[in-house]
């Protein structure tokens, strides 16, 4: 992977909520400033989800549950494994984003991305 600048990475980060397969603004229209703890500067404005947005997201998950439950275990396993592979492909981006957003040392952020991704791999194997 070629190095990506902070500005390029932040431009790729969605600023909306992902609900029912779509990127949407907060139902209130409010946004939240994400602040760089090192500089105090605003990194990005993102949708500030409301309780109603959370309910919409939960309703969408409930609506999808039956079809997900009917998905064969091997297919679920393959999807989770693909998610693991994608996180690994982009781990440097995720780590840089964590470092920018939280002030976490980059090496520690890489470790955290790897640790979190292992849950995807573990459950991909458990699914079958």
């Amino acid at each position: 992977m070629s190095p990506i600048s902070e500005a390029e990475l932040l431009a790729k980060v969605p600023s909306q909520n992902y609900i029912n397969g779509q990127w949407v603004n907060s139902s209130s229209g409010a946004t939240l400033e994400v602040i760089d703890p090192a500089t105090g500067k605003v990194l990005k404005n993102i949708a500030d989800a409301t309780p109603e947005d959370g309910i919409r997201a939960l309703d969408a998950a409930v609506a999808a549950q039956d079809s997900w439950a009917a998905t064969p275990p091997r297919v679920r396993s393959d999807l989770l494994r693909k998610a693991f592979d994608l996180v690994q492909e982009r781990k440097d981006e995720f780590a840089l984003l964590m470092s920018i957003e939280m002030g976490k040392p980059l090496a520690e952020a890489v470790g955290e991305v790897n640790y979190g991704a292992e849950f995807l791999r573990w459950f991909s194997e458990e699914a079958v």
Side-chain angles (χ1 to χ4, degrees), residues 38-124:
T39 65
K41 293 182 181 176
V42 175
L43 293 169
K44 191 165 186 98
N45 288 298
I46 59 169
D48 189 6
T50 65
E52 293 78 17
D53 295 328
I55 291 169
R56 285 181 40 228
L58 286 171
D59 288 344
V62 168
Q65 197 280 327
D66 286 341
S67 66
W68 180 247
T71 303
R74 175 55 62 193
V75 173
R76 284 188 261 169
S77 173
D78 291 347
L79 287 169
L80 288 169
R81 181 56 194 229
K82 179 65 175 174
F84 167 80
D85 292 340
L86 290 171
V87 169
Q88 288 302 299
E89 286 174 22
R90 297 183 60 196
K91 71 180 171 185
D92 293 337
E93 290 181 15
F94 287 123
L96 178 58
L97 190 59
M98 290 171 67
S99 182
I100 295 167
E101 181 183 10
M102 296 186 279
K104 181 181 288 285
L106 190 57
E108 188 176 319
V110 170
E112 194 167 329
V113 172
N114 286 330
Y115 175 77
E118 284 301 323
F119 285 96
L120 294 166
R121 180 163 55 181
W122 171 267
F123 285 107
S124 75

Side-chain angles (χ1 to χ4, degrees), residues 14-19 22-27 46-50 53:
S15 59
Q16 296 175 297
N17 299 318
Y18 192 71
I19 300 175
Q22 297 180 9
W23 291 103
V24 296
N25 292 326
S26 169
S27 60
I46 59 169
D48 189 6
T50 65
D53 295 328

